[in-house]
Amino acid sequence: MDFLEKLRREVRRYLFVIIFLQNAVLLGAIALLLPLHYLPPEQLIAAVGIASVIVSFMLASVATDFTLQPLATLWQAIQHVSPHGEEQPAPQLNKYKLGAELVSTLANHVYQLASVVDSINDNPEQTKVHTSFVATALPLPLFVLDKNETIVFANEQAGKYLERPATELNRQSIYTVLDMSFASDSTFDRWLKGVKQNSVTADGTWERVRVGTPGQTEKTLLFDLAAHYNKDNPLGYETMLILFDHTAMYSQDDQAMSFVALSVHELRTPLTLLRGYIEVFDEELGPKLDPELKDFMKKMDASAQQLAAFVDNILNVAKIEDNQLTLQLHEESWASVVQTVVADLSLRASVRGVTITTEVEPGLPKVGVDHYSIYEVLANLIDNAVKYSGDSKEIHVSAHLNDEGHVETSVTDKGVGIDATILPHIFDKFYRNHRNRAQIGGTGLGLFLAKAIVDAHGGKIRVSSKPGEGSTFSFTVLPYSQAAAVQPADKGGVTRAAHGWIKNHSLYRD
């Protein structure tokens, strides 16, 4: 039987009786006072009100004491078994009728848990043996940390995984032992700081975590990470980390990406020649062609541009993965950058019957950007808007100075939109909407590349969207004066790097 439901019915029945008695007393008082015609109406009302207050207070006191009996009994049982509750006698569980079954069941659970704790305290060495056996037998690298993120225990598998004696790992900072890099800015370090401030217990998981960065001589490990945090652990063991090694699998993915980049690189020379011939044909033969052939030339040029953008995306993503994409930020007019990108993308949009409109706020400050890379960001966003425009035939590009003093640019379409469940992953590498990936081509790299480049510029990128209503992608770039203030410029401008891996601890961040 559901003892909680039974208690609920009993309390409901008891309160009904109390409220009924209150109303009965009130009606009785009114019936007794009505024959007293010699009393003014005000006195009759006052007398009835006073009687009602007195009766309500008395019945509320009785109801409170009665309905709180189960809670008071359970509290007495907990106090009886608590470390400092020896003087508190055990409650008589059969003394009260209300919720007797529920209170007896819960109190017995309390007594059982207390007996388990007592047995552990009486046999600490046995408990240590059990704990050590479980941790040692675990076939996965395990790290236990204290509140200072210092390793207090590492099992033998952790030592084997890092090719170091497990005993050497103890009493070291986890950030020294595991120089972790993450594929996004959602790092273990940030997660732990957040849960320490806001949670008592928490769990977190991360995929494709890297120890050892590209270009270094030491062995690179790739794994998934699981963490558990418990603020009130009596032994002071706040955080536990378990590593799931996937070095072989993830390395194959990285090698495949490198092979694709190498293959794509070979397309650059013939593609450059192809685009050159198309431009020559358009200049020399364009005026002599009939409308149908002109349309063919227009589509050839648009396809060549799209293929060139695809090649650039692949090569730049490969550079970002290897932390080799370096940007040179120079002082430029943002209005000119926007106009250049829109002019270049207008041909590709017109092939699909889409028009691009622009609205740039006058008087924007000069921005600090790497022209080629930021061109790719805006071009990728506009190209996506064209591909996902659906039945809508207009894309709007706007730029203004936001409240933070940054130049913010938005690309808005009224197309198919993006489901809310997809938005958190929209900037992940290779991620594409499963609902329309078969109908709309793409690699899933454009938005990943855009975010990496915008981050390297010191800006932010975000998206807002509703299915069937369209999407707006917005990103910011810094005025050149702010970019140069963060890192003084040299003759080559301000140098930044686009990283595919985010360092875990602030000690290592740029």
Side-chain angles (χ1 to χ4, degrees):
M1 177 181 289
D2 188 343
F3 295 140
L4 180 61
E5 181 60 30
K6 184 177 180 181
L7 174 62
R8 186 179 290 112
R9 290 199 302 268
E10 291 176 354
V11 171
R12 188 185 304 120
R13 185 165 55 248
Y14 180 75
L15 292 179
F16 173 79
V17 172
I18 291 292
I19 295 173
F20 177 80
L21 289 176
Q22 179 186 9
N23 292 331
V25 171
L26 181 60
L27 292 175
I30 294 174
L32 291 175
L33 293 175
L34 281 178
L36 302 178
H37 299 292
Y38 57 86
L39 292 177
E42 294 81 2
Q43 294 183 7
L44 288 175
I45 294 173
V48 171
I50 292 173
S52 176
V53 171
I54 294 174
V55 172
S56 297
F57 179 78
M58 294 174 61
L59 292 179
S61 300
V62 174
T64 300
D65 293 340
F66 187 77
T67 56
L68 289 180
Q69 284 178 3
L71 182 60
T73 303
L74 187 59
W75 174 250
Q76 187 177 352
I78 295 174
Q79 286 290 95
H80 176 67
V81 299
S82 66
H84 305 289
E86 294 83 356
E87 298 179 359
Q88 179 70 38
Q92 299 180 13
L93 300 179
N94 298 325
K95 180 179 179 181
Y96 305 106
K97 299 297 183 183
L98 183 64
E101 296 89 346
L102 180 63
V103 171
S104 297
T105 301
L106 293 177
N108 287 329
H109 284 320
V110 170
Y111 293 152
Q112 290 175 7
L113 290 174
S115 64
V116 171
V117 172
D118 289 341
S119 65
I120 291 175
N121 291 333
D122 292 339
N123 300 282
E125 293 302 322
Q126 183 180 4
T127 304
K128 289 181 180 179
V129 169
H130 290 167
T131 304
S132 176
F133 172 76
V134 173
T136 304
L138 185 69
L140 298 169
L142 169 70
F143 298 90
V144 180
L145 316 180
D146 63 12
K147 63 180 180 179
N148 299 316
E149 287 95 69
T150 299
I151 299 173
V152 295
F153 176 80
N155 67 354
E156 293 182 6
Q157 193 63 32
K160 292 179 181 179
Y161 187 60
L162 298 178
E163 298 180 353
R164 299 172 58 183
T167 54
E168 289 185 3
L169 305 178
N170 294 332
R171 296 183 296 278
Q172 293 193 49
S173 170
I174 187 64
Y175 306 118
T176 302
V177 173
L178 293 178
D179 182 11
M180 295 180 286
S181 300
F182 293 77
S184 72
D185 56 4
S186 178
T187 64
F188 165 74
D189 178 44
R190 292 185 179 181
W191 172 82
L192 189 57
K193 287 181 179 178
V195 298
K196 282 189 173 186
Q197 295 175 356
N198 305 312
S199 305
V200 176
T201 63
D203 298 297
T205 58
W206 297 263
E207 295 182 350
R208 294 185 70 96
V209 182
R210 182 195 294 267
V211 169
T213 54
Q216 295 181 347
T217 57
E218 66 264 20
K219 180 180 178 181
T220 297
L221 301 175
L222 294 164
F223 53 87
D224 294 342
L225 174 68
H228 173 73
Y229 171 77
N230 185 356
K231 185 175 184 178
D232 296 327
N233 185 286
L235 299 178
Y237 301 158
E238 281 198 350
T239 311
M240 180 175 66
L241 303 181
I242 298 180
L243 280 55
F244 302 84
D245 181 56
H246 294 299
T247 301
M249 181 177 66
Y250 289 155
S251 294
Q252 288 180 354
D253 294 343
D254 292 344
Q255 291 170 5
M257 185 66 198
S258 299
F259 174 76
V260 170
L262 181 63
S263 302
V264 168
H265 186 271
E266 298 302 316
L267 292 175
R268 267 196 161 176
T269 300
L271 181 58
T272 302
L273 291 174
L274 177 62
R275 294 188 65 185
Y277 287 140
I278 291 174
E279 290 180 5
V280 171
F281 288 159
D282 187 41
E283 292 176 359
E284 298 294 333
L285 302 178
K288 303 176 184 179
L289 298 177
D290 57 49
E292 184 178 9
L293 292 178
K294 286 184 178 180
D295 185 57
F296 289 161
M297 289 292 297
K298 182 179 178 181
K299 291 180 179 178
M300 287 173 58
D301 193 8
S303 297
Q305 288 185 17
Q306 189 170 3
L307 182 57
F310 166 77
V311 170
D312 289 339
N313 281 348
I314 292 289
L315 295 177
N316 283 332
V317 167
K319 289 181 180 178
I320 289 174
E321 287 291 283
D322 290 337
N323 287 347
Q324 292 180 358
L325 182 61
T326 302
L327 311 181
Q328 293 291 332
L329 275 56
H330 297 277
E331 189 173 11
E332 295 206 28
S333 166
W334 187 243
S336 299
V337 174
V338 172
Q339 291 171 2
T340 300
V341 178
V342 170
D344 291 346
L345 270 290
S346 293
L347 173 61
R348 205 180 308 176
S350 64
V351 170
R352 295 175 177 261
V354 176
T355 302
I356 305 175
T357 61
T358 61
E359 181 183 0
V360 179
E361 180 181 301
L364 290 177
K366 295 292 184 69
V367 295
V369 295
D370 180 278
H371 182 90
Y372 179 77
S373 297
I374 209 66
Y375 177 101
E376 281 194 273
V377 172
L378 189 52
N380 275 323
L381 295 183
I382 295 176
D383 187 53
N384 273 359
V386 172
K387 289 191 293 186
Y388 292 93
S389 58
D391 296 331
S392 175
K393 298 303 179 183
E394 183 175 317
I395 293 169
H396 187 64
V397 180
S398 62
H400 69 280
L401 193 67
N402 65 16
D403 296 338
E404 297 177 353
H406 302 165
V407 176
E408 182 170 334
T409 304
S410 300
V411 178
T412 303
D413 66 76
K414 302 297 181 183
V416 297
I418 306 170
D419 191 84
T421 59
I422 296 172
L423 288 178
H425 307 285
I426 199 69
F427 295 106
D428 292 352
K429 186 173 58 175
F430 297 124
Y431 189 85
R432 300 192 62 223
N433 189 344
H434 64 277
R435 298 182 179 179
N436 50 36
R437 74 174 96 184
Q439 294 81 18
I440 301 175
T443 60
L445 295 175
L447 293 178
F448 168 80
L449 179 63
K451 185 178 187 305
I453 292 175
V454 170
D455 288 346
H457 277 80
K460 297 179 181 179
I461 188 169
R462 58 184 175 84
V463 58
S464 60
S465 181
K466 288 186 178 180
E469 297 183 14
S471 307
T472 297
F473 284 84
S474 302
F475 68 94
T476 59
V477 291
L478 304 182
Y480 186 78
S481 58
Q482 295 187 29
V486 174
Q487 178 182 344
D490 54 23
K491 293 182 180 180
V494 179
T495 303
R496 295 280 178 82
H499 296 289
W501 297 90
I502 309 299
K503 282 292 185 182
N504 176 63
H505 195 253
S506 57
L507 176 65
Y508 302 103
R509 291 199 187 118
D510 293 332

